[in-house]
Amino acid sequence: MMVNIWLLALGLQLLHGVTSSLVKLNNGGFEDIVIAINPQLPEDDKIVSTLKEMVKEASTYLFNATKQRFYFKTVKIIVPLTWTSKSEYRRVTIESYEKADIIVADPFLKYGDDPYTLQYGGCGEPGRYIHFTSNFLTNDSLHDVYGPRGKVLVHEWAHLRWGVFDEYNNDAPFYPAGQNKVEATRCSADVTGKYVFPTKDGKTRTCKYDHRTQVYEAGCQFVPDRKQSTPASIMYMQSLSSVIEFCNSNSHNINATNIHNKLCNYRSTWEVITSSKDFASSSPLSAPPPDPTFSLLQTQDRVLCLVLDVSGSMADYDRINRLKLAAEIFIRQIIETGSWVGIVTFNSGATIKTYLQHITSDSVRDSLVRFLPTSAGGGTTICAGVQSGFNVFLQKYTSTEGCEIVLLTDGEDSTISSCFGAVERSGSIIHTIALGPSAAKELEMLANKTGGLRFSATDSLDSNSLIEAFTGISSRDGNISQQAIQLESKSQNIKPLQWLDGTVSIDETVGNDTYFIVTWSVSVYPPGIFLTDPKGKKYRQTDFEIDDTNRHMARLKINGTAEAGDWIYKIQNTHAAGAQVISMTVTTRAASLTVPPVTVKSYLNQDTNNYPNPIIIYAEVSQGFLPVIGANVTATVEPAAGPAVELELYDTGSGADILKHDGIYSRYFISFNGNGRYNIKISVQGKNKTARRVRRYSQALYVPGYVENGVIKMNTPRPEVSEDEIQPDIGNFNRIASGGSFVLAGAPPSSSSPPPDIFPPCQITDLEAQLEDDEFLLSWTAPGNDYDIGKAERYEIKMSKNPLELRNAAFHTATSVNTSGLTTEFAGVKQSFQFKSENFTKENGTTIYFAIRGIDDSNNVGEASNIARTVVLVSTFPTTLPTTTTTFPTTLPTTTTTFPTILPSTTASGTASNYTAASPMKTTSLTSSNKENNNSIINTTVIIVIIVCAAVVVICAIISITICVLKGRKTRSPASAM
C-alpha cells in the first residue's frame, strides 16, 4: 500500500520539470515566460522597452523557423525592488529571479556581453536560464557582431527549451576536409566566406596552412559573406539575413567539429527539436500568431510565515527540540534584514503565535525566537496550518500574492488535498520540509504547485539535515550580497572526552555577519569549545552566547568582517555520562556589495524518480557568472532510513558530466535504499592555487566581420579579459548547500540477498580518435560496472564511414573493431587503444567514425558513446624511407596493445574474444597471427631498397658524364673551336 501511495504521488508530479520553469505550451504559444532584472542594475526604462521589442521580434522569427508551430504568447518581466514603483507594476506571485527563464544582469568582469544559456544536461535536455547583459540590450552597436536581438533570443531559446547546442566551436574553429583543404566549423557548409588573419596594423592577410595541425594557423578567422543564399542555420550564425531555419537532415554538416555533433550524435538541430515533447504535443498553426502580451511585476519586501507541526509525533526522536533549534538559526541568521516574519503552529487545529514582525534589528529576531514551539501533542491538520498562514498575511496585506510559507510536518493527513485549490489561487509560495519517514506523501505537491523549494530531513540525530533545510531557504530576488551563505555543517556522535574537530576556510569574498553555532544533544552544560582564527586569536566556550530559550546551542558572532583564512575548531564532549551528538554550523554573508562571493547551487535531473532510473546530481560552483573549476565537490545523499552515501562529483566531461571545466560538477546516483525521500547536501572545498575561475564555455558567436562586394570589413575585435583578471587567487574556501530532496518509487523490497544487477555501464561521452601513420588511436574515460561505479567487463568498438550507423539503434550493424587484448579500467581512468584495421583501405580525405560502449558482467549493455571522427590525409611528400609503399598487401596486419596476460571472455554477440587491462599510451606490436605477412613485408622492402639504390647509382653516373662533356665544350678555343 505504501508503494502505491508513492507511485500515485510520483505520477501526479511527473510534469514538474527539474528546471522549475513556469513556462507552459498552449496551442503553440509559450505562456508565462519569466524575465527577471538583477537588483544590482540601476533603473533604466530602456532595458524594459528593449526586452519587449526583442521578444516581439523573436516571436515572429521563431514562428517561421519552426514551420508555424511555436511563438511567444505571454511574458512576465520582473523589475527590482530598488526601482521606482509604478502603477503598472503588479506584485510578483510565485515568480522569482532565481527561477526566471531569462535573466538580465551585468557580468562580474568588465567585458562579457556575450549572450549565453546555462546548460548542464545532455542533448534534448532543457537548460537553466538565458543570460543577457544590460549593455547587450541597450547598445545597438553590438548588432553587427551578434545580429538582431530577436534572432539571438531564438538561438538561445533553442538551447534553453530543446537542449540543442552551438554549431560553431570557438576552440576548434576549423577542421580538415581533405589534402591541404580546411573548412570552417559551421552549419550548413554552404555558408560562404573568406579565411583571413587580422594583422596588427588593422589589415588582414590570407591564412597559412599548418601542416602539423592540418588546419589553418592559430588566429585565423572565417569571415562570412554578408549576402548568402543558404537559409541555415540559426544555431550557427543567426546574424546572417538569409538564415531563417535550423539545420535539418538535408543541410546538416556532419563533418563539423562542434559540440552539437558531439553531444547529439550527429543529429541535426531540427531533428532534436522535432523529437521534443513540445513538438509531439503541437501542430502547425493555420494563421500568424498575435503579438506577445507583457506583464510588469516588481519584487516586494520578503514576507514569510513559519507554519510548524506540533502534533504528538513531533515529540518522538527529539523532533520538537530539533525543530526549535533549526528554526532559531533560520530566524537569527538566514532570513534577511528587512523581511516580515510570522509564526503559526498546527496539530488538530492551528494557532497564530505571532503576526508579521518587521526584522529591523536583533531585538526583533529575539522576539520571534520566543514564539517558537517547545512542546507537542494532538493530531495533524496541514490545511488548517496553511490557511492560518494566509490569515497572517491578510492581517497586513490585501492579498497573499508573493508571500512565502515554510511548511514543516512529520505526519500524514488524508485531508491535505482539500486545500490544493486555495493554495493555487493564493499566489503564495510554499516551501516544504518533510521530517521523518511518515510525512505526508503529497507534501511535495504543494511545493510543485507554487514554485516552492522541497526538503526532507531524517530522524538521525547525527545528521544536520534539518538545519541544512532551513539554511537553504534564502531570498530568491537575486541580491546575493544579502543572502546567507553556509560554510560548515558537521555533526557527529561523540563519545565522552572525545573531540569533534575541523577547519573552516573563510575566503575574502565573504565574512560579514559570520556566526559559529555549536549544538549538543544531551548535556545541560556546553561542551569544551576551542576556536582559533587565522591570526591565532583564540575563542573559548565563554565567548559563545547561550540563550535562555535554548540550553543546547551556543553561538558566536564575529564582529565586522571575519578574518580571511583557515579557522580551526575543536569541540570536546565533556558529558561524562555518555556519548552525545555535537554539531558545528557556520554561516556568513558577502564581504562586499561589488565583489560577488563564490556560490554553489545544486540541481537534480528529476525530483521524482522510478527505480531503476539513475538520479543525476549537479552542483554549479561560480563567482559572478564565471565558472570555478578545480574544487573538490561532494554530495551526501541521505535516505529516509539507513546510512548516508557520499559521492564525489566531477567536472571532467565524462560520465554524467557533459562539459569539462564548465564549473558544473556531476555524478550518477544509484545507491538506492528503498522507496521514499532522499535529501542531498553539497559540500565544496577549494584549495589555494587549485580552484580558479575560467571563461564560460558556451557563448554566442562573436562575428569578426563580413565580406561585402568582395571587400572584407572587420568588426571591432572582441574585447578580451586578461588571464590575470580571470584567474586571480581565490584562496581556500568552503561552501555548504542543501540540494533539496527527491522521491523514489518502485524500488525492490529490502532483503538479505542483493537485488539483481540491472544497472549498465554509463555512456562514454569523451571518445576521441586520431590517425597516426597507419594506426588509429582511440582514447576515452572508462565507465563503471554500474554507471560510473566499479569496472565494466568489456568493450565493444565499432567503426564506419557513416556516423548514423553508430547510433544506438544501428550500432550492431557497423563494422566491429578487433578488441583482443583490450581490457577495462575502473570508472574515471583514462584509457587508450591503438590498432590497425583489417578491412580499412587508406584513401585520402576519407572520414572514419568510431563509437564504443561498455558491457558489464551481467551483460547489461551501456549506451553507445559519442561518435568520434578522424580524417585520413596522405602526405604528398614522403617523410620516411619507402617502407610502406602500395606494394604492401591491401589487408594491413592488426595491431593491438601488448599485455602480460590474456583473459578469455565473451562479447555481446556471444563470440569469444580476449580482454586485458588497457592504460594510456601503451606501446603496440604486431600480433603473432601476422608473422608470415611480416616476413613478406620485410622481403619486399629489401628488394625495393636494392632497386632504388641501383637506380640512384645509374642516375649519378649519367649526371657526372653529362657535366664532364659540358665542361669540355666550354674550354674550347674560340678561334680553332678546339
Side-chain angles (χ1 to χ4, degrees):
M1 180 63 183
M2 185 66 69
V3 173
N4 291 336
I5 294 175
W6 280 120
L7 288 172
L8 174 62
L10 177 66
L12 292 172
Q13 297 175 54
L14 281 177
L15 294 179
H16 179 67
V18 67
T19 62
S20 300
S21 173
L22 301 175
V23 175
K24 299 184 291 290
L25 181 62
N26 183 5
N27 194 27
F30 289 111
E31 299 178 339
D32 296 335
I33 299 167
V34 176
I35 304 176
I37 301 173
N38 190 281
Q40 299 294 328
L41 289 180
E43 187 167 358
D44 187 350
D45 290 339
K46 188 176 181 180
I47 293 177
V48 176
S49 60
T50 304
L51 285 171
K52 292 180 178 180
E53 294 168 3
M54 176 178 69
V55 174
K56 182 179 178 180
E57 177 188 17
S59 182
T60 300
Y61 188 61
L62 177 66
F63 181 71
N64 293 323
T66 56
K67 307 185 189 313
Q68 293 77 50
R69 280 184 179 265
F70 306 117
Y71 67 100
F72 297 131
K73 187 174 182 180
T74 62
V75 179
K76 298 176 181 179
I77 301 175
I78 302 176
V79 302
L81 175 64
T82 53
W83 287 24
T84 304
S85 298
K86 296 182 179 179
S87 58
E88 59 184 313
Y89 294 166
R90 296 191 293 104
R91 288 178 61 93
V92 295
T93 54
I94 61 176
E95 308 84 9
S96 68
Y97 178 89
E98 290 294 333
K99 293 194 173 185
D101 305 292
I102 302 170
I103 61 173
V104 181
D106 283 344
F108 171 36
L109 299 178
K110 182 178 180 182
Y111 302 114
D113 289 316
D114 294 325
Y116 71 88
T117 300
L118 180 63
Q119 293 178 269
Y120 57 92
C123 184
E125 297 182 24
R128 290 299 304 178
Y129 59 77
I130 299 170
H131 180 192
F132 294 122
T133 67
S134 60
N135 190 48
F136 171 81
L137 293 173
T138 58
N139 185 353
D140 293 339
S141 67
L142 295 177
H143 280 195
D144 281 340
V145 295
Y146 298 116
R149 296 187 185 97
K151 298 178 77 171
V152 175
L153 175 55
V154 172
H155 174 104
E156 299 301 336
W157 185 260
H159 284 309
L160 181 76
R161 187 72 184 183
W162 298 309
V164 299
F165 293 85
D166 292 324
E167 292 173 331
Y168 47 84
N169 190 337
N170 292 324
D171 293 332
F174 309 107
Y175 63 91
Q179 187 64 46
N180 295 339
K181 183 179 180 182
V182 180
E183 292 285 352
T185 302
R186 67 198 190 280
C187 192
S188 76
D190 293 333
V191 176
T192 59
K194 294 185 177 181
Y195 300 91
V196 300
F197 186 95
T199 57
K200 293 182 179 180
D201 58 3
K203 299 180 180 179
T204 61
R205 62 170 172 79
T206 302
C207 293
K208 298 177 182 178
Y209 179 78
D210 188 332
H211 289 275
R212 180 181 58 84
T213 62
Q214 299 174 343
V215 294
Y216 290 127
E217 62 189 311
C220 177
Q221 297 179 345
F222 176 71
V223 180
D225 292 322
R226 174 77 76 173
K227 292 184 178 180
Q228 302 277 346
S229 59
T230 178
S233 166
I234 293 170
M235 299 313 294
Y236 169 59
M237 195 175 287
Q238 73 284 335
S239 59
L240 297 174
S241 59
S242 69
V243 171
I244 56 174
E245 64 183 35
F246 295 97
C247 257
N248 54 39
S249 57
N250 294 323
S251 57
H252 183 56
N253 181 5
I254 63 172
N255 295 314
T257 53
N258 55 47
I259 193 67
H260 181 83
N261 272 342
K262 176 184 177 182
L263 296 182
C264 295
N265 274 349
Y266 293 86
R267 287 188 295 164
S268 69
T269 53
W270 185 242
E271 287 177 274
V272 176
I273 292 170
T274 55
S275 64
S276 67
K277 292 180 180 179
D278 288 346
F279 202 89
S281 61
S282 65
S283 57
L285 302 178
S286 59
D291 288 341
T293 59
F294 298 90
S295 303
L296 297 179
L297 313 178
Q298 187 169 32
T299 305
Q300 305 295 321
D301 287 331
R302 193 176 189 194
V303 180
L304 181 144
C305 184
L306 297 176
V307 178
L308 308 174
D309 188 349
V310 292
S311 61
S313 57
M314 287 294 293
D316 299 335
Y317 302 99
D318 201 31
R319 290 173 184 166
I320 195 69
N321 291 325
R322 292 167 56 217
L323 161 62
K324 184 179 185 303
L325 187 151
E328 180 174 348
I329 291 176
F330 176 78
I331 291 171
R332 292 191 184 278
Q333 300 164 227
I334 306 304
I335 188 73
E336 298 79 9
T337 298
S339 302
W340 294 81
V341 177
I343 299 175
V344 168
T345 61
F346 68 91
N347 43 30
S348 301
T351 303
I352 297 175
K353 305 295 289 186
T354 177
Y355 286 98
L356 295 174
Q357 296 190 41
H358 194 197
I359 299 180
T360 56
S361 64
D362 287 344
S363 61
V364 179
R365 297 180 190 270
D366 292 340
S367 172
L368 286 166
V369 167
R370 294 188 181 95
F371 289 105
L372 291 174
T374 57
S375 60
T380 304
T381 53
I382 294 173
C383 286
V386 171
Q387 186 57 56
S388 293
F390 292 156
N391 293 338
V392 167
F393 302 143
L394 295 172
Q395 191 264 345
K396 177 175 175 58
Y397 299 100
T398 57
S399 170
T400 59
E401 290 184 344
C403 299
E404 299 174 68
I405 284 177
V406 177
L407 172 63
L408 180 146
T409 183
D410 74 336
E412 296 187 29
D413 180 2
S414 60
T415 66
I416 186 173
S417 61
S418 64
C419 58
F420 282 179
V423 165
E424 290 185 277
R425 292 189 297 270
S426 71
S428 294
I429 301 168
I430 299 183
H431 311 294
T432 60
I433 303 175
L435 179 57
S438 301
K441 305 301 178 287
E442 304 87 355
L443 193 61
E444 282 80 6
M445 295 177 64
L446 291 172
N448 295 343
K449 288 177 178 293
T450 63
L453 303 171
R454 36 189 287 172
F455 303 92
S456 66
T458 69
D459 287 324
S460 175
L461 296 180
D462 57 355
S463 168
N464 249 12
S465 54
L466 188 54
I467 293 176
E468 290 153 9
F470 272 101
T471 56
I473 308 175
S474 293
S475 170
R476 302 188 295 175
D477 64 358
N479 192 353
I480 187 63
S481 65
Q482 298 300 314
Q483 294 176 9
I485 297 172
Q486 191 170 3
L487 305 183
E488 177 70 305
S489 177
K490 191 173 185 179
S491 179
Q492 287 183 10
N493 191 38
I494 305 298
K495 295 179 179 179
L497 302 181
Q498 297 301 305
W499 299 81
L500 173 72
D501 52 30
T503 300
V504 180
S505 298
I506 298 181
D507 58 282
E508 293 183 351
T509 68
V510 296
N512 285 350
D513 201 21
T514 301
Y515 281 88
F516 289 80
I517 305 295
V518 177
T519 69
W520 55 98
S521 61
V522 179
S523 175
V524 295
Y525 300 104
I529 304 174
F530 302 88
L531 176 66
T532 306
D533 78 2
K535 289 189 173 181
K537 182 178 179 180
K538 300 183 184 300
Y539 300 87
R540 299 292 183 263
Q541 61 264 32
T542 54
D543 298 308
F544 283 67
E545 179 182 355
I546 301 176
D547 197 292
D548 291 339
T549 63
N550 194 336
R551 304 300 300 178
H552 292 276
M553 180 175 72
R555 66 180 183 275
L556 171 69
K557 181 177 181 180
I558 305 300
N559 294 325
T561 302
E563 190 72 36
D566 290 343
W567 292 65
I568 300 172
Y569 65 86
K570 296 179 180 293
I571 307 171
Q572 185 182 38
N573 178 15
T574 56
H575 183 58
Q580 65 175 337
V581 175
I582 296 176
S583 75
M584 169 64 88
T585 301
V586 183
T587 64
T588 188
R589 299 186 197 275
S592 169
L593 295 176
T594 57
V595 179
V598 175
T599 59
V600 56
K601 297 178 181 178
S602 178
Y603 313 113
L604 303 174
N605 67 322
Q606 51 193 357
D607 49 25
T608 53
N609 189 38
N610 260 324
Y611 184 89
N613 297 322
I615 286 288
I616 302 178
I617 303 172
Y618 303 98
E620 178 196 358
V621 185
S622 62
Q623 183 186 14
F625 300 112
L626 283 178
V628 173
I629 66 173
N632 295 322
V633 182
T634 302
T636 302
V637 184
E638 190 177 18
V645 177
E646 284 199 354
L647 203 64
E648 186 175 358
L649 309 186
Y650 300 120
D651 185 16
T652 58
S654 63
D657 193 63
I658 299 302
L659 297 176
K660 183 178 181 178
H661 289 172
D662 63 350
I664 299 174
Y665 301 74
S666 318
R667 192 75 184 274
Y668 291 105
F669 176 77
I670 55 173
S671 300
F672 301 119
N673 187 6
N675 293 318
R677 298 181 176 95
Y678 291 70
N679 70 71
I680 299 170
K681 176 178 75 173
I682 303 296
S683 304
V684 180
Q685 185 178 45
K687 288 297 184 182
N688 190 20
K689 306 298 184 182
T690 301
R692 65 188 191 277
R693 299 193 308 242
V694 295
R695 290 178 174 87
R696 188 165 293 283
Y697 180 83
S698 177
Q699 298 172 333
L701 181 63
Y702 192 100
V703 182
Y706 296 96
V707 181
E708 298 186 51
N709 300 319
V711 179
I712 298 173
K713 296 182 179 180
M714 300 297 288
N715 290 323
T716 302
R718 180 180 190 163
E720 293 290 347
V721 184
S722 70
E723 290 299 315
D724 290 339
E725 289 181 278
I726 288 181
Q727 297 184 5
D729 180 16
I730 299 176
N732 295 350
F733 66 89
N734 287 106
R735 296 293 185 271
I736 300 291
S738 173
S741 65
F742 68 88
V743 174
L744 178 71
S750 300
S751 64
S752 57
S753 59
D757 179 10
I758 57 176
F759 297 115
C762 66
Q763 181 188 28
I764 294 169
T765 59
D766 62 348
L767 178 67
E768 295 180 353
Q770 299 178 37
L771 179 61
E772 298 181 352
D773 296 328
D774 291 330
E775 296 184 332
F776 292 107
L777 176 63
L778 305 182
S779 60
W780 65 92
T781 301
N785 181 76
D786 299 330
Y787 286 95
D788 53 12
I789 299 174
K791 184 167 66 171
E793 175 73 14
R794 60 190 182 274
Y795 293 121
E796 188 176 11
I797 301 176
K798 297 283 189 174
M799 64 185 295
S800 175
K801 294 182 180 180
N802 180 3
L804 305 186
E805 293 182 353
L806 298 176
R807 297 174 181 172
N808 280 313
F811 188 85
H812 65 283
T813 65
T815 302
S816 295
V817 172
N818 185 349
T819 57
S820 299
L822 172 64
T823 57
T824 60
E825 291 285 358
F826 283 98
V829 174
K830 260 299 192 188
Q831 289 193 257
S832 65
F833 180 56
Q834 195 164 0
F835 66 96
K836 288 184 179 180
S837 173
E838 298 173 338
N839 303 312
F840 170 65
T841 302
K842 191 172 182 180
E843 297 178 1
N844 195 32
T846 302
T847 301
I848 305 297
Y849 299 90
F850 296 90
I852 183 174
R853 63 185 182 185
I855 304 170
D856 71 10
D857 52 7
S858 299
N859 270 339
N860 294 311
V861 181
E863 290 186 44
S865 70
N866 67 290
I867 300 171
R869 70 186 289 272
T870 187
V871 179
V872 177
L873 296 177
V874 181
S875 176
T876 56
F877 299 98
T879 57
T880 61
L881 287 175
T883 58
T884 56
T885 66
T886 54
T887 59
F888 282 7
T890 56
T891 301
L892 297 177
T894 302
T895 65
T896 61
T897 308
T898 55
F899 301 97
T901 58
I902 304 295
L903 303 177
S905 184
T906 304
T907 65
S909 59
T911 57
S913 72
N914 299 313
Y915 302 90
T916 56
S919 60
M921 305 309 293
K922 295 283 187 179
T923 58
T924 61
S925 64
L926 298 175
T927 59
S928 58
S929 63
N930 293 307
K931 288 181 180 179
E932 190 173 320
N933 283 341
N934 298 345
N935 294 332
S936 175
I937 291 171
I938 293 172
N939 293 335
T940 304
T941 301
V942 171
I943 294 171
I944 292 171
V945 171
I946 292 173
I947 294 172
V948 170
C949 290
V952 170
V953 171
V954 172
I955 291 171
C956 289
I958 294 171
I959 292 173
S960 298
I961 294 170
T962 303
I963 292 174
C964 291
V965 171
L966 292 175
K967 186 175 181 181
R969 290 179 178 177
K970 288 181 181 179
T971 57
R972 291 177 181 176
S973 169
S976 63
M978 304 254 333

